[in-house]
Amino acid sequence: MDSVPGTRSGVDPDDAEVGRRFAAGEEQSLVWAYERWAGQVHGMAVRAFGPGPDAEDVTQQVFVAAWTGRARFRPDDSPLPAWLVGICRHKIADAWARRDKQRREAEAAVSEAKATPAGGTEPAVDTVVADRMLVLDELDRLGQPQRGIIELAFFEDLTHAQISERTGIPLGTVKSHIRRTLERLRTRLEVDGAALPA
């Protein structure tokens, strides 16, 4: 019985053959593609975002998008690694666009807070705006569950009680995580020489 290409006893196909099998929807070709080019794709993502979850997410998104969109891949027109690189560039651009949107929303919140007449509740508003800016700059450094809690608090504007209800984490723990996380974020910015809004 002849050995099957790609098995331990056989010989892996060359890159062009992997591309042809990928376009044909052969699942083993996705495994080969990942083994051969995930490092290159991940390297691009790391250069864009630094090492960490963002780069890992983009790498995964590239291969998922490539596989689900394989009907658009033409192996005779472009080699598979070049197609993957193109998808990676789009995913990186999408991720930066999301970050930029979050920053614009935060800047709009700052402008709105500054335009609001001073009143008894303004210190709380200023604190929320300052914390939101800190979170935007430092969110990627947080682990779970702190990151998830902070995202719910600052990007979805949930109260502590709502976060507790949604996540199943006790209310006191939610409050502690937010307090400690914001303290760490402030400390990091102070070490970097950044000043918080007065």
Side-chain angles (χ1 to χ4, degrees):
M1 181 176 177
D2 294 336
S3 59
V4 178
T7 63
R8 291 183 182 277
S9 59
V11 177
D12 285 348
D14 62 20
D15 291 356
E17 180 65 17
V18 171
R20 285 190 288 273
R21 294 188 184 193
F22 192 95
E26 184 179 321
E27 290 185 6
Q28 178 61 38
S29 67
L30 177 58
V31 176
W32 286 323
Y34 191 85
E35 289 173 348
R36 295 182 190 198
W37 300 301
Q40 179 182 0
V41 169
H42 186 254
M44 290 177 62
V46 167
R47 286 192 293 276
F49 304 109
D54 282 343
E56 293 165 8
D57 287 347
V58 165
T59 302
Q60 182 178 5
Q61 290 168 17
V62 167
F63 283 90
V64 169
W67 184 249
T68 57
R70 63 188 180 277
R72 295 188 300 274
F73 172 55
R74 299 289 181 265
D76 294 334
D77 296 338
S78 174
L80 183 54
W83 194 60
L84 293 171
V85 164
I87 294 174
C88 186
R89 288 187 180 127
H90 284 292
K91 294 300 179 185
I92 288 171
D94 289 346
W96 278 117
R98 283 193 301 273
R99 285 187 173 193
D100 190 51
K101 181 173 182 264
Q102 290 176 342
R103 289 185 184 279
R104 288 198 307 272
E105 288 173 349
E107 288 168 0
V110 170
S111 298
E112 183 179 342
K114 287 181 178 178
T116 303
T121 61
E122 284 310 295
V125 172
D126 288 344
T127 300
V128 170
V129 171
D131 291 341
R132 190 180 296 253
M133 296 300 292
L134 290 167
V135 169
L136 286 171
D137 289 334
E138 299 289 339
L139 183 62
D140 290 339
R141 300 185 189 184
L142 299 178
Q144 295 293 356
Q146 291 90 342
R147 176 172 175 162
I149 291 172
I150 290 293
E151 286 175 339
L152 291 173
F154 290 92
F155 296 142
E156 297 192 28
D157 293 321
L158 297 187
T159 65
H160 294 169
Q162 289 170 328
I163 294 170
S164 176
E165 182 178 348
R166 180 177 294 192
T167 62
I169 298 173
L171 179 58
T173 304
V174 169
K175 291 180 178 179
S176 296
H177 276 314
I178 291 175
R179 185 181 65 253
R180 287 197 301 267
T181 299
L182 293 178
E183 287 171 355
R184 285 197 297 270
L185 295 177
R186 289 191 186 97
T187 299
R188 285 176 188 156
L189 285 189
E190 287 168 2
V191 168
D192 290 341
L196 296 178

